[in-house]
Structure formats: C-alpha cells, structure tokens
Amino acid sequence: MPIIRSVDFHCDVLWKLLEDQSLSFEQDSANKLDVTLPRLKQAGSLLQTFAIYVPERMEKSMTPILHSIDLFHRKVLSAPEMTFVRTSADAAALMNNSNSIGAMLSLEGADGLHGDLAMLRILYELGVRALGLTWNYANWGADGAMEPRGGGLTKKGRALVKECDRLGILMDVSHLSDNAFWEMIKVSTKPLIASHSNCRSLCAHPRNLADDQLKTLIEREGMIGITFVPQFVATHHAAAIADVLRHIERICELGGEEQLMFGSDFDGIESHVQELAHPGELYNLQNALLTRYSEERVDAFLAGNALRFLVKHLPS
C-alpha cells in the first residue's frame, strides 16, 4: 500500500525538551522521544501539532511557556523540512508540498496566563493557534476533567474563550470537566476541537467524551482527535489497534466521518497501544483501517479532515 498522509493534533515533544534540553528532535540517538523528524517522515506526516505543556512541578507563569516556544524554534523549526503553520494559507500549502512537514503550536493548560488577555494576545503573535484552558485539574479559567468538584468556566475563563474566538485561536475541550465543556459550547461561537479524546461509551475514563458531547461537536462541525493513550482506548486489557478502530467506528456511527482526526499524545504517555508506539508505526493503523474503509476515507481520517478544517478556520 502507498504511504497515506498523516496529521497529528497533539504530541508532547516540547514538554520533554523543556525537561531535558539535551534531547534532539532531528536525530534522537538516545531514543527518548516518540516523535522525531525521521519518524514523521516515516509516517508521511503533513502536519504535527506541538503542545506547550508546563508540568506540575514547574512555575505556572509565562516563563516556561516562552521557553517552550524558544525550544520549538531552536529544536524543531531549525530542521529544514519543518515549516511553521499559522494561517489558512500555510495549511493549504501543505496539501501539495510533499517535501515539507507543517508544525503548529498549541497550549495545553492556560495556568501561566493568570487570566491576563494581553498574555493571550502575545501568544497569538508568537504563533499559538489552539488552546485548552486546563490540564486535568482546576485553574483560574475552568475545572479540568479530573477535578472532583466538576465546576465549569470562571468569568475570566469565559472572557478568554471570547478573545480566542476573536483572534482565531481554536478552542480545545479535551481536558475540560463536563460542566466546563457545556459552558464552552454556550460561550464559543466557533467550531471546537477535542484534540486528544476518545469515546466514553467504549472506555469509561473521565478524559473521554460522552456520546452527547461527541454529537454536539459533530453538529457544530468541530473536530475529534482519536488518541492513542492506552487507558483511554481500553479498560480491562492491553490496548491494541483493534480497540482504536472501535472508537473510530463509534465516531462514524454518530455521524462524525468528516470530523474525525487523530491526536496521538505521543511523548505524553509512558505506555503505548500495541504496534503503535510512535509515528513510524502509523502504517499499522493505516493498514488496519484499509481493511474496513476505502483509501479515500482513510486518507480523510489520517490527514484530509484535519487539513480541511485548518484551511477553513485558521486566520487568513
């Protein structure tokens, strides 16, 4: 089978580089990264989204966020094959350029902004194009999926959502509590993304989305990134590609064939779905998909849907 193009909407390479700046994205001889330039080439990658994530032990401020963006430029964009994606035109150019891999920035957890919309606008100018208000727990803007009280958005959180809509920053619901999800639906006027979440009806983890949430995202022409986090894929056995396919089938059953994409969470996980440990193994998923879907549909799942969405919704 020919290599099918791929887009991945979430990886945590920047977090690992922030923790250990001796690591190399271009040539990971120590084999400490899941996502590397050689593996993206193996995957026929057209675009990789790099999440800015500040771990719990670090200061919740703009400083580690800005350090992550600096590392993005010095360690990722320094590779000649990588190109910064910030606009609709940048995304459209990827469709016809097999020699270039797009790199987009997202922010996972807005703790470091402290509700200051000036900081948000600065991040927009620096190229951040997707944002999740929380990680798993509560911050100034919202409650996360693992916060016991399960609250919604704060007043400052609602203001940030409205400013993201105005700027053209995609809002990501993947780590929100259920109440925060539904408030986001009410406040945002734009299609939303779930960059890396699966189906709660198949795997009852709080980070996964219930069917009514998935249906709402689909109805609003948002995007759902199937993720490869093993505990979000299967509960009572080692996660395999067959289990990933069940989540894909469920999204399709809900009417989301054109809203389905992938958000691997590579480099943010300590264990992996069997035969899906890094981008270089995406061909295993591709081949499994081709036993059930047409090549055109598999291409849409792996790349086409996500690229179409970005061309339509990134700033001009």
Side-chain angles (χ1 to χ4, degrees):
M1 287 290 177
I3 293 175
I4 293 180
R5 310 172 303 168
S6 69
V7 169
D8 179 6
F9 237 81
H10 189 91
C11 80
D12 280 303
V13 168
L14 295 182
W15 168 32
K16 283 189 175 177
L17 294 177
L18 189 64
E19 296 271 23
D20 183 356
Q21 295 188 28
S22 70
L23 298 178
S24 171
F25 166 74
E26 291 193 55
Q27 193 60 55
D28 180 31
S29 57
N31 200 32
K32 292 185 177 180
L33 297 176
D34 297 337
V35 176
T36 63
L37 181 59
R39 286 172 173 171
L40 289 179
K41 289 179 178 179
Q42 279 182 280
S45 178
L46 288 182
L47 182 139
Q48 176 68 60
T49 297
F50 293 83
I52 300 165
Y53 168 69
V54 179
E56 293 287 284
R57 66 173 187 81
M58 288 190 178
E59 173 191 5
K60 299 298 183 182
S61 74
M62 284 290 287
T63 299
I65 294 174
L66 294 175
H67 276 300
S68 297
I69 294 174
D70 175 63
L71 287 164
F72 176 69
H73 282 271
R74 291 192 296 110
K75 298 272 192 173
V76 176
L77 290 182
S78 57
E81 298 90 337
M82 304 301 295
T83 183
F84 203 177
V85 171
R86 288 164 287 188
T87 67
S88 172
D90 293 339
L94 297 173
M95 294 180 174
N96 301 310
N97 187 353
S98 60
N99 298 317
S100 185
I101 300 172
M104 196 172 83
L105 276 176
S106 67
L107 179 64
E108 183 177 36
D111 304 56
L113 279 63
H114 296 290
D116 189 339
L117 297 185
M119 299 301 103
L120 176 70
R121 290 186 284 271
I122 288 168
L123 292 182
Y124 174 81
E125 294 297 331
L126 293 175
V128 172
R129 290 296 181 266
L131 183 147
L133 255 174
T134 66
W135 185 57
N136 282 335
Y137 304 107
N139 62 16
W140 59 264
D143 275 12
M146 307 297 286
E147 185 65 38
R149 68 182 176 183
L153 303 180
T154 66
K155 182 178 179 181
K156 286 187 175 182
R158 290 190 291 272
L160 179 136
V161 173
K162 292 177 181 177
E163 186 67 352
C164 283
D165 279 2
R166 186 188 71 82
L167 290 169
I169 296 176
L170 304 170
M171 292 305 307
D172 185 355
V173 302
S174 271
H175 276 276
L176 291 178
S177 69
D178 286 357
N179 282 328
F181 172 96
W182 291 114
E183 284 196 43
M184 181 82 75
I185 291 292
K186 292 177 182 177
V187 174
S188 178
T189 61
K190 302 291 182 69
L192 304 173
I193 65 169
S195 65
H196 56 308
S197 294
N198 289 345
C199 305
R200 197 180 296 171
S201 62
L202 300 179
C203 182
H205 193 287
R207 272 279 287 103
N208 285 339
L209 296 174
D211 281 359
D212 58 347
Q213 294 175 304
L214 295 167
K215 288 177 183 177
T216 300
L217 288 176
I218 292 165
E219 289 166 2
R220 290 186 51 154
E221 298 184 348
M223 297 296 292
I224 302 156
I226 297 295
T227 190
F228 307 149
V229 181
Q231 57 267 41
F232 303 170
V233 174
T235 306
H236 301 298
H237 58 270
I241 286 175
D243 299 302
V244 176
L245 294 182
R246 291 171 60 233
H247 290 272
I248 293 167
E249 289 167 358
R250 184 59 185 155
I251 299 297
C252 291
E253 288 170 359
L254 295 172
E257 289 182 345
E258 296 182 358
Q259 277 74 51
L260 192 147
M261 61 180 186
F262 293 95
S264 69
D265 210 4
F266 285 141
D267 288 300
I269 48 181
E270 296 180 357
S271 59
H272 299 86
V273 173
Q274 294 172 10
E275 299 185 300
L276 202 51
H278 55 74
E281 294 191 343
L282 274 175
Y283 69 89
N284 291 321
L285 176 61
Q286 167 193 300
N287 291 341
L289 285 167
L290 286 169
T291 65
R292 305 188 184 198
Y293 302 95
S294 69
E295 186 169 332
E296 180 181 14
R297 180 58 64 191
V298 174
D299 177 69
F301 290 164
L302 288 172
N305 288 344
L307 281 180
R308 184 194 69 249
F309 181 85
L310 291 175
V311 169
K312 185 173 182 180
H313 295 290
L314 283 181
S316 58

